[in-house]
């Protein structure tokens, strides 16, 4: 074991402390998180690169849908009321797919939280990702924690003015890029970029860029942890999602207490000494300004940077990693009972170690099977069920639809030869990016024939109608039945729409009305 003198103690106080709660309307105390290094920090870099890459690059991906549809891979075409996602095209009446994805997202969030805590908040939440990005740029301009604290406390000089102006200018560039990237999801990205640069884009594009620029700059650069603490509802909700088998970032005080900065002197005096040397590295790296040693707190987003910081200190001291780790409440309580002899006296580090200094075999450590519990399987099953249902519906959906509206006034007309005529508005929806010829056929209604209004086609029981790609074709059709074929005041028959290629079909059951005297 190395001497504690080789450890650098940091003057870091928790801005958000579990022991001293800040008034709700108190002025913000700035948090200057120190740069961490370790496996969780590397994982956060990876997540940040992937998520930002997806956000900024997705509008520029191309997907060939033929000559009659846009070639942007992901496009929310509000003008034509379409949503394109690679090979998938969603129409307004198919919004249930979006609703299903939102249900999957909600259930997935419950699943993640109940198993590994606030992993969404710590790694993939947009607020976390952009704050991480802004912090990277802040460190590049102003330096790491001590340099930024010193600069913040220093009087205004030309150097401070240049550094601050440079930092905020870079933040604004990132914020503008964020707002700009968002509008590219709603129109062809290359064309819209040219229009925005030339000043000819629609006003709503500039308004959207302005709003998102302001919110990104404000939330990511200025408010930061306050968004998570005061604005986000999830910290309040997540408590209901956790149980004793959920993984959370935990300070294992059963091995860390009593804390001491002078372990050798304490041991020489016969005092119990834990592994925590009170270096406050965990506090210094926390972007939320909390001290994880105070226990679970609303502000903690479980980003695990405190684990990296503590592990680095344990490495320098030659001690086992994991003083701060992902752990379940069940394991923590079991180990705490060992360290306190069932709660009969304060924590004694000697109770959790053998005479040789190794950890006792009685200690409980995390194993993946502990999160494989009924609750996990219920969430996973529900999530999978919704996903499979959406996928099945997507793969088997009909891209041809027919809808019929009967004339309401008049409901029928008696012609000079005594036959009865009903009028219908028939709508053919071609939901593919290719032109199609749709054959409309009438089934049932003995002896009846159709007339297509505005067409030279002779009366008959079937018509071939060309329909443009991704378009709705509206037809006006008269159906006439001879008087001697009438079978009552109300009869039903079917309009059948078939793709001429024989790939898809749809049908609609319509009503034919006649005078009451024909019974």
């Amino acid at each position: 074991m190395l001497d504690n003198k080789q450890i650098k103690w940091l003057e870091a106080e928790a801005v958000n402390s579990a022991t001293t709660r800040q008034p709700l309307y108190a002025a913000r105390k700035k948090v200057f998180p120190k740069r961490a290094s370790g496996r969780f920090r590397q994982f956060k870099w990876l997540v940040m690169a992937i998520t930002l890459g997806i956000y900024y690059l997705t509008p520029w991906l191309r997907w060939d849908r033929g000559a009659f549809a846009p070639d942007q891979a992901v496009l929310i075409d509000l003008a034509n009321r379409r949503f394109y996602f690679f090979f998938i095209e969603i129409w307004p009446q198919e919004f249930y797919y979006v609703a299903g994805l939102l249900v999957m997202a909600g259930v997935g969030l419950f699943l993640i939280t109940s198993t590994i805590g606030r992993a969404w908040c710590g790694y993939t939440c947009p607020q976390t990702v952009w704050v991480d990005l802004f912090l990277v740029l802040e460190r590049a301009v102003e330096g790491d924690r001590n340099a930024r604290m010193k600069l913040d406390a220093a009087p205004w000089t030309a150097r401070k003015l240049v550094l601050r102006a440079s930092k905020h200018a870079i933040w604004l560039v990132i914020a503008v890029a964020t707002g700009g990237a968002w509008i590219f999801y709603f129109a062809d990205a290359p064309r819209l970029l040219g229009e925005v640069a030339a000043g000819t884009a629609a006003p709503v594009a500039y308004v959207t860029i302005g709003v998102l620029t302001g919110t990104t700059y404000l939330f990511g650069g200025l408010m930061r942890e306050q968004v998570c603490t005061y604005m986000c509802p999830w910290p309040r909700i997540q408590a209901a999602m956790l149980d004793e088998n959920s993984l959370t970032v935990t300070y294992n005080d059963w091995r860390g207490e009593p804390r001491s900065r002078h372990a050798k002197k304490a041991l020489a005096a016969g005092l119990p000494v834990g592994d925590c040397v009170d270096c406050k590295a965990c506090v210094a790296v926390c972007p939320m300004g909390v001290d994880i040693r105070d226990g679970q707190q609303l502000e903690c987003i479980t980003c695990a940077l405190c684990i990296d910081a503590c592990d680095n200190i344990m490495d320098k001291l030659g001690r086992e990693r994991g003083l701060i780790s992902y752990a379940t409440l069940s394991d923590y309580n079991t180990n705490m009972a060992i360290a306190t002899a069932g709660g009969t006296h304060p924590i004694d580090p000697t109770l959790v170690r053998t005479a040789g200094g190794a950890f006792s075999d009685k200690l409980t450590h995390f194993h993946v099977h502990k999160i494989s519990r009924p609750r996990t399987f219920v969430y996973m099953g529900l999530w999978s069920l919704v996903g499979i249902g959406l996928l099945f519906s997507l793969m088997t959906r009909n891209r041809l639809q027919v809808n019929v509206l009967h004339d309401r006034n008049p409901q029928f007309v008696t012609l000079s030869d005594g036959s009865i005529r009903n009028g219908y508005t028939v709508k053919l929806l071609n939901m593919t990016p290719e032109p199609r010829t749709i054959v409309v056929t009438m089934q049932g209604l003995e002896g009846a024939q159709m007339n297509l209004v505005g067409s030279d086609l002779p009366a008959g029981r079937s018509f071939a109608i060309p329909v443009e790609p991704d378009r709705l074709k509206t037809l006006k059709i008269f159906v006439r039945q001879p008087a001697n074929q009438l079978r009552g005041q109300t009869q039903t028959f079917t309009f059948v729409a078939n793709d001429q290629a024989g790939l898809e079909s749809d049908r609609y059951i319509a009503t034919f009305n006649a005078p009451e005297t024909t019974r």
Side-chain angles (χ1 to χ4, degrees):
M1 183 183 298
L2 300 179
D3 195 301
N4 288 2
K5 292 181 180 179
Q6 298 187 32
I7 302 301
K8 181 180 180 180
W9 279 270
L10 300 173
E11 295 301 325
E13 297 297 332
V15 171
N16 296 305
S17 173
T19 56
T20 306
R21 305 302 298 177
Q22 295 294 325
L24 182 61
Y25 298 104
R28 175 180 181 252
K29 292 184 179 180
K30 292 184 179 180
V31 178
F32 300 91
K34 180 180 174 61
R35 178 170 181 172
S37 61
R39 64 188 189 278
F40 290 106
R41 178 65 268 182
Q42 293 298 322
F43 181 67
K44 282 175 66 68
W45 289 136
L46 177 63
V47 172
M48 184 176 76
I50 293 175
T51 52
L52 290 177
I54 291 174
Y55 177 75
Y56 287 117
L57 298 179
T58 296
W60 302 94
L61 300 178
R62 302 292 102 182
W63 188 269
D64 185 12
R65 300 185 181 90
F68 302 99
D71 64 350
Q72 185 163 312
V74 179
L75 177 64
I76 304 172
D77 189 355
L78 295 180
N80 296 305
R81 295 183 295 177
R82 306 284 189 279
F83 171 49
Y84 298 96
F85 185 82
F86 294 93
F87 65 92
I88 301 172
E89 179 183 353
I90 302 298
W91 284 61
Q93 65 270 26
E94 296 178 314
F95 191 78
Y96 52 83
Y97 287 115
V98 179
L101 290 176
L102 292 177
V103 170
M104 288 185 67
V107 175
L109 194 58
F110 295 159
L111 171 63
I112 291 174
T113 303
S114 67
T115 53
I116 53 177
R118 290 176 64 183
W120 161 261
C121 299
Y123 299 99
T124 55
C125 174
Q127 174 67 14
T128 298
V129 172
W130 262 272
V131 167
D132 263 358
L133 178 60
F134 276 40
L135 278 173
V136 170
L137 300 173
E138 184 177 77
R139 292 190 188 103
V141 174
E142 297 183 353
D144 204 1
R145 182 174 184 271
N146 291 338
R148 299 202 309 276
M149 293 176 66
K150 184 177 179 180
L151 181 67
D152 188 70
W156 284 97
T157 61
R159 176 179 177 274
K160 181 175 180 178
L161 182 61
V162 169
L163 291 177
R164 286 291 168 88
S166 300
K167 178 184 72 173
H168 287 277
I170 296 173
W171 282 357
L172 283 172
V173 170
I174 297 298
V176 171
T178 302
W182 179 253
I183 66 171
F184 294 147
Y185 284 89
F186 296 87
D188 183 67
R191 178 179 56 81
L192 183 56
L193 177 61
E195 293 178 352
V196 170
T200 59
V204 67
Y206 298 103
V207 172
T208 302
I209 293 175
V211 171
L212 291 180
T213 296
T215 52
T216 303
Y217 173 77
L218 180 64
F219 294 164
L222 304 181
M223 295 184 65
R224 294 184 180 176
E225 76 285 347
Q226 289 185 304
V227 174
C228 304
T229 303
Y230 299 111
M231 297 176 63
C232 181
W234 189 239
R236 283 84 180 168
I237 299 174
Q238 63 121 10
M241 296 284 97
L242 299 176
D243 59 27
E244 65 276 7
N245 292 311
S246 301
L247 275 177
T248 57
V249 174
T250 305
Y251 168 63
N252 296 308
D253 47 2
W254 50 265
R255 62 167 279 196
E257 302 295 325
R259 307 172 194 173
S260 176
R261 292 193 175 189
H262 308 285
K264 288 188 175 181
K265 292 182 180 180
L267 289 172
L271 299 175
V273 176
D275 286 348
C276 181
V277 296
D278 200 23
C279 63
K280 296 187 178 180
C282 56
V283 180
V285 300
C286 180
M288 296 298 295
V290 303
D291 188 341
I292 191 62
R293 298 173 299 175
D294 291 337
Q296 285 296 308
Q297 300 162 63
L298 176 147
E299 295 84 3
C300 178
I301 59 173
T302 66
C303 63
L305 295 181
C306 54
I307 297 179
D308 284 340
C310 187
D311 283 349
N312 290 334
I313 297 299
M314 293 297 105
D315 290 343
K316 293 179 180 180
L317 292 174
R319 301 177 186 176
E320 301 89 341
R321 290 186 168 196
L323 176 57
I324 302 176
S325 66
Y326 272 103
T328 66
L329 179 61
S330 176
D331 291 345
Y332 172 84
N333 288 336
T334 299
N335 294 338
M336 181 61 80
I338 296 173
T340 60
T344 58
H345 58 69
I347 297 173
D348 184 352
T350 62
L351 296 178
V352 298
R353 293 184 182 272
T354 64
F359 282 124
S360 170
D361 293 337
K362 297 179 181 180
L363 294 174
T364 302
H365 301 284
F366 171 74
H367 191 275
V368 68
H369 72 80
K370 294 184 179 180
I371 62 174
S372 301
R373 56 198 192 277
R375 180 178 181 179
T376 304
F377 291 120
V378 169
Y379 283 139
M380 179 61 74
L382 180 59
W383 185 86
S384 301
L385 186 62
V386 175
I388 293 173
L390 288 177
L391 184 61
F392 177 79
S393 175
L394 187 66
M395 300 305 293
T396 59
R397 63 180 176 165
N398 195 353
R399 311 307 290 150
L400 170 63
Q401 291 185 6
V402 58
N403 195 9
V404 180
L405 181 64
H406 193 290
D407 288 352
R408 300 186 63 183
N409 188 20
Q411 291 193 3
F412 59 86
V413 173
T414 303
L415 301 180
S416 58
D417 61 356
S419 61
I420 304 299
R421 188 184 73 187
N422 282 207
Y424 301 89
T425 299
V426 178
K427 296 182 179 181
L428 303 176
L429 182 59
N430 176 17
M431 302 171 67
T432 65
E434 298 177 355
R436 305 167 89 175
T437 299
I438 308 301
V439 178
V440 179
T441 304
M442 182 176 62
Q443 293 181 353
L445 206 62
E446 184 178 355
Q449 289 188 323
M450 298 187 297
N451 286 97
L452 184 59
V453 179
S455 172
D456 295 332
L457 296 174
R461 294 181 65 85
S462 180
F463 297 113
I465 309 296
V467 182
E468 297 178 352
D470 270 337
R471 288 293 182 269
L472 176 69
K473 182 83 170 184
T474 301
L475 308 173
K476 181 65 177 180
I477 293 179
F478 288 135
V479 176
R480 180 176 61 86
Q481 187 178 32
N484 60 358
Q485 299 291 334
L486 293 173
R487 296 293 183 269
Q489 183 180 2
T490 301
Q491 303 174 76
T492 59
F493 68 101
T494 304
F495 282 105
V496 180
N498 286 292
D499 185 352
Q500 197 172 51
L503 299 177
E504 292 181 317
S505 66
D506 193 24
R507 57 182 55 228
Y508 188 96
I509 299 177
T511 301
F512 187 88
N513 296 325
E516 186 176 359
T517 56
T518 62
R519 290 182 180 179

